[in-house]
Amino acid sequence: MSTNQIAIDGPAGAGKSTIARMVADRLGFIYIDTGAMYRTAALYLLREGVDPSDEKASAAAVSLADIQLVNENGNQKVLLNGEDVTGKIRTQEIGDAASLASRYGAVRRKLTALQREIAAKGNVVMDGRDIGTTVLPDAQLKIYLTADASVRAKRRYDQLAERGETGLSLSEIEEEIRARDRQDMERKNSPLKRAEDAVLVDSSNLTIGEVRDRILDAYRRSAGGDRRDS
Ligand code: DC
């Protein structure tokens, strides 16, 4: 079966998951958050007391972790050895550990294989760092979604403030975002970069609705876009 695939890559805080979910809802596709899989691998490492900077130990541990994405009533859940850990992976600590562990070839190979298996089963919008370049190189539409680091930092700052989490200053958050960008873009294995055939969308001065509509327009224009209901 040939499936329709939309790949959305970009740096942390560009709004990928919000937008990817909206686009998937509009098109009736399944949304796959690959960052959640790296975060779940990182949670496993931290629980097992493995240092995510230790490649050998991280690769050995992740090979033993059973990571699954399941969709329940349109909501994605992530399971670690059968336990629903969806609510436990959104911390800064897990994000940092995920960024470290995602540098390793063995970790990437395992999660890439899982991601391709899911994409083979149905129409998907998949977001991450290497979807257009590595996981789904034949995706019918590839988007590189980015925004200025200062804009991403401000959005993150506002989100945290809304939740009453005011621990970090705006400039500290921006520094963290820049450090994460460097780590994800400069790694050897499948670094974050724009695929040659990806449509660049800079959301710095766009609303969420405008970004969504640009992507939906690009999808409709993409060759075979009219196959989406088949
Ligand atoms: O998108 P996120 O913040 O949930 O991702 C956490 C980390 O996981 C990110 O810093 C790098 C890694 N990651 C990756 O290397 N490849 C992906 N396809 C998705 C995430």
Side-chain angles (χ1 to χ4, degrees):
M1 179 177 71
S2 109
T3 58
N4 291 331
Q5 301 170 339
I6 300 179
I8 303 183
D9 291 299
K16 295 186 301 294
S17 56
T18 307
I19 298 292
R21 190 176 288 113
M22 289 170 103
V23 170
D25 282 352
R26 263 311 160 89
L27 296 173
F29 286 16
I30 292 170
Y31 164 54
I32 307 293
D33 172 1
T34 63
M37 299 169 90
Y38 286 93
R39 284 171 180 268
T40 301
L43 174 65
Y44 183 71
L45 294 180
L46 298 183
R47 281 184 172 178
E48 294 292 304
V50 174
D51 176 0
S53 300
D54 181 337
E55 173 164 7
K56 226 170 145 198
S58 297
V62 169
S63 75
L64 301 174
D66 176 27
I67 297 169
Q68 288 182 45
L69 277 191
V70 291
N71 253 78
E72 256 184 32
N73 310 321
N75 287 321
Q76 180 184 272
K77 280 187 176 173
V78 62
L79 306 182
L80 171 59
N81 296 329
E83 175 194 348
D84 180 359
V85 294
T86 317
K88 298 185 176 145
I89 56 172
R90 297 288 154 202
T91 66
Q92 181 73 34
E93 187 192 19
I94 303 273
D96 291 343
S99 181
L100 286 169
S102 67
R103 296 174 301 167
Y104 310 138
V107 172
R108 302 205 70 80
R109 279 192 293 279
K110 172 169 173 145
L111 298 187
T112 298
L114 280 172
Q115 291 154 13
R116 288 182 179 149
E117 254 174 52
I118 300 171
K121 289 190 193 142
N123 299 332
V124 293
V125 179
M126 191 176 276
D127 81 5
R129 303 292 189 289
D130 62 335
I131 310 306
T133 54
T134 305
V135 180
L136 303 176
D138 299 324
Q140 121 186 27
L141 176 65
K142 299 178 187 178
I143 302 289
Y144 190 81
L145 179 62
T146 189
D148 291 344
S150 59
V151 173
R152 287 183 279 136
K154 179 71 169 68
R155 288 179 188 158
R156 178 89 188 120
Y157 180 81
D158 290 345
Q159 258 175 8
L160 290 171
E162 221 169 81
R163 302 207 301 246
E165 296 172 32
T166 51
L168 291 177
S169 69
L170 182 56
S171 60
E172 283 167 333
I173 291 177
E174 184 170 333
E175 193 31 59
E176 275 183 6
I177 281 186
R178 289 184 189 279
R180 175 75 65 88
D181 284 358
R182 278 195 297 277
Q183 189 154 283
D184 292 346
M185 290 172 178
E186 291 172 8
R187 69 182 178 216
K188 190 167 79 198
N189 294 309
S190 299
L192 167 64
K193 65 170 187 222
R194 179 182 168 188
E196 272 173 25
D197 49 352
V199 177
L200 176 69
V201 178
D202 184 332
S203 74
S204 303
N205 297 306
L206 299 175
T207 63
I208 288 176
E210 286 169 334
V211 175
R212 176 203 58 208
D213 290 346
R214 277 191 193 201
I215 295 176
L216 288 170
D217 283 348
Y219 179 70
R220 289 187 190 107
R221 282 196 310 271
S222 68
D226 54 353
R227 286 187 291 129
R228 69 187 178 281
D229 298 323
S230 62

